[in-house]
Structures are given as structure tokens and as C-alpha cells.
Amino acid sequence: MSKNIVVSMQNIHKKYLGTEIETHALQGISLRIYEGEFVAITGPSGCGKSTLLTIMGLLDSASEGSYHISGIDTSSLKVDHRTQVRNQHIGYVFQSFNLIDSMTVYENVALPLEHRGENAQVIKSAVTDALEKVGMQHRAQYKPNQISGGQQQRVAIARALVGNPDLILVDEPTGNLDTQNGDAVMKLLMTLNKQGSTIVMVTHDSRYSGLAHRQIQLLDGKVVGKKQLQTSPEVPSKNKDVA
Ligand SMILES: Nc1ncnc2c1ncn2[C@@H]1O[C@H](COP(=O)(O)OP(=O)(O)O)[C@@H](O)[C@H]1O
Ligand SMILES: [Mg+2]
């Protein structure tokens, strides 16, 4: 059985043009992500991981090269259409959660569906479902500053998956969390993947990258290695009481 290709990148370059210096952050990246995969993008600080993820997430565009998501050629998209493709196909989880403080947990998770113009009934059922998946339905009416960092990241994950996207992108999801909360978020991502979500996760933490099906290693804006995992992974438990 052939798997659907979700992401296909060909010779992607990204140059940041400063007033004095030009940074060639991505230097010819070609890769594919298949439906159902859990892929880790690894490499030292500054090697281009976040840049690659923002391009994959249509938050920024490449200077050169081609990028298809779910068969859609993104290079020719106008801004509005690009936003629409992002909203329909991609869920994005940031290291710093990026929840809107003035909105409740429920309203934050509802946002992607509000942007799609879904009706209240559809939104209610999808948000309830997403909050249940991440174990946060009991905090639906709380504001982000009334819950812990680990809980905020769960809510951010619910927001990413509420619209049933083809691809969930996660940038250093455990970077702002302690080990216990980090492990719990990692377990959640693995569960979502087992339930069918395709996940690409940036991390420099080898404890977590080893849990992905496949690792894509970057150095100085280039792919320098690929690793395929052989055995079935489990979050290594430092703390016995981790959920
Ligand atoms: N908005 C930006 N403007 C200019 N340079 C940037 C910008 N974002 C990232 N860079 C540079 O691009 C390179 C890759 O950065 P980044 O993708 O953030 O790496 P990583 O996520 O692997 O730490 C670095 O040299 C960084 O300084
Ligand atoms: Mg980064």
C-alpha cells in the first residue's frame, strides 16, 4: 500500500536579508513527509530548524525551491489563499504556546474554526472533542494565565488539532516545560500520532527525537543525516509518577 505524501519539498533555500549581513538559513532542503508519520527535525541551535518549520507551516515563504502540501503547490498562492491553505491543512504548536491571554481556553481552541466560518454547533462539538483529547475539558472556561505551562501547551495542541489538519507542526514543544510536563506533552503527541495525526516536531532534545519514526538531521541549513527508528518507542520515564 502506498502512503500519501503530505509534504514534498524540493531544493528549498531561505535567505534572510539584513541591512549588513545576509543569512543563508536553508541551503537546498529536499524532503518528503508521509501520512501517519512522526518525524523529528534535529540539529544544533541556529541550524535552521525553526526556519524550515515556519516555511512548512506557511508562516513564511522560501527564497527558492518548491513546496507542495497535500498536493497543493504553495509557491503560486496569493496571500489570502495561502492563509486559507494554512487554516485548512496545518496545525502549528509553538514553544511559547502563543495562546491569546484575553480569551478563554475554549475560545482559543475555537479560533481556527471561527476563521473557517464554521457554525456554532460544529465548533462546539469539535472544541469539546479536541479538549477531551488533550485532557483539558475541565478548564474550558479558564484563561491561559490561570493554568500551568504544561496545561497551556495541551491547549495549544488542542487548537492545532481542532480543525483535523493533514499536518501538525510542533517547534520545541517541551522547551519551556520541566521534565515531568515535557514527558507528558510528548506522550500526548505520540498518542495523537497513533490515532492518525501526521506530526513533524523540531527538537534538540535527543531523549525526545529518538521517539519519532524518523529523524531528519540538519546542520548549517542542510540535511546531513536521516535516521529510521527500528523499535516501538516509549517515553523514557525519569519520574515514575509521570502520567
Ligand atoms: N527573522 C530572521 N531574520 C534574520 N535571521 C534569522 C531570522 N530567523 C532566523 N535567522 C537566522 O537563521 C539561522 C537559522 O535560525 P533558526 O531557523 O531559528 O535555527 P534553529 O531553530 O535551528 O535554532 C540563524 O543563523 C538565525 O540567526
Ligand atoms: Mg528554533
Side-chain angles (χ1 to χ4, degrees):
M1 195 181 76
S2 66
K3 284 256 178 186
N4 290 334
I5 298 169
V6 180
V7 165
S8 174
M9 286 183 157
Q10 282 288 323
N11 196 30
I12 291 287
H13 286 257
K14 179 67 182 178
K15 288 176 182 167
Y16 291 111
L17 305 171
T19 44
E20 308 251 306
I21 52 159
E22 175 185 291
T23 307
H24 199 166
L26 298 179
Q27 307 186 20
I29 304 269
S30 299
L31 56 82
R32 277 180 178 177
I33 311 286
Y34 294 88
E35 192 181 339
E37 274 198 301
F38 191 158
V39 175
I41 295 173
T42 64
S45 180
C47 71
K49 304 184 294 298
S50 293
T51 300
L52 180 59
L53 212 69
T54 53
I55 290 172
M56 223 181 258
L58 300 176
L59 297 168
D60 199 358
S61 39
S63 314
E64 201 186 309
S66 85
Y67 170 30
H68 289 73
I69 175 156
S70 302
I72 302 163
D73 182 354
T74 65
S75 57
S76 54
L77 296 177
K78 301 269 188 298
V79 175
D80 278 5
H81 197 187
R82 213 179 156 72
T83 306
Q84 197 185 335
V85 170
R86 185 168 64 230
N87 178 263
Q88 296 279 347
H89 296 276
I90 297 163
Y92 209 99
V93 180
F94 300 86
Q95 176 174 347
S96 51
F97 324 137
N98 284 17
L99 298 173
I100 298 176
D101 289 335
S102 59
M103 290 183 163
T104 63
V105 161
Y106 181 97
E107 289 164 345
N108 268 281
V109 176
L111 270 181
L113 300 179
E114 301 272 1
H115 287 152
R116 277 188 203 175
E118 296 286 5
N119 70 49
Q121 194 114 34
V122 169
I123 292 178
K124 187 169 183 201
S125 132
V127 172
T128 306
D129 234 41
L131 285 175
E132 252 165 37
K133 271 193 176 161
V134 304
M136 285 300 297
Q137 66 280 27
H138 64 306
R139 293 291 180 262
Q141 296 311 320
Y142 283 53
K143 296 274 174 67
N145 65 7
Q146 297 171 316
I147 58 177
S148 73
Q151 291 178 324
Q152 287 184 54
Q153 194 58 302
R154 286 173 172 274
V155 172
I157 292 169
R159 181 181 56 185
L161 64 85
V162 73
N164 197 22
D166 301 331
L167 180 64
I168 297 181
L169 301 175
V170 208
D171 196 351
E172 305 274 8
T174 62
N176 284 350
L177 302 176
D178 59 30
T179 309
Q180 189 168 340
N181 279 305
D183 284 0
V185 161
M186 199 58 211
K187 274 192 175 170
L188 171 61
L189 291 172
M190 289 170 72
T191 303
L192 295 174
N193 171 250
K194 287 203 180 96
Q195 291 169 353
S197 295
T198 307
I199 300 180
V200 177
M201 173 183 72
V202 161
T203 182
H204 64 262
D205 189 333
S206 57
R207 238 165 51 83
Y208 294 139
S209 56
L211 299 172
H213 299 146
R214 190 153 71 89
Q215 288 183 45
I216 297 174
Q217 297 162 335
L218 297 190
L219 187 66
D220 297 334
K222 298 189 186 107
V223 175
V224 291
K226 293 183 180 178
K227 258 196 225 168
Q228 194 87 32
L229 195 86
Q230 301 299 329
T231 53
S232 175
E234 259 183 45
V235 176
S237 233
K238 268 191 193 162
N239 306 307
K240 279 207 264 353
D241 55 344
V242 167

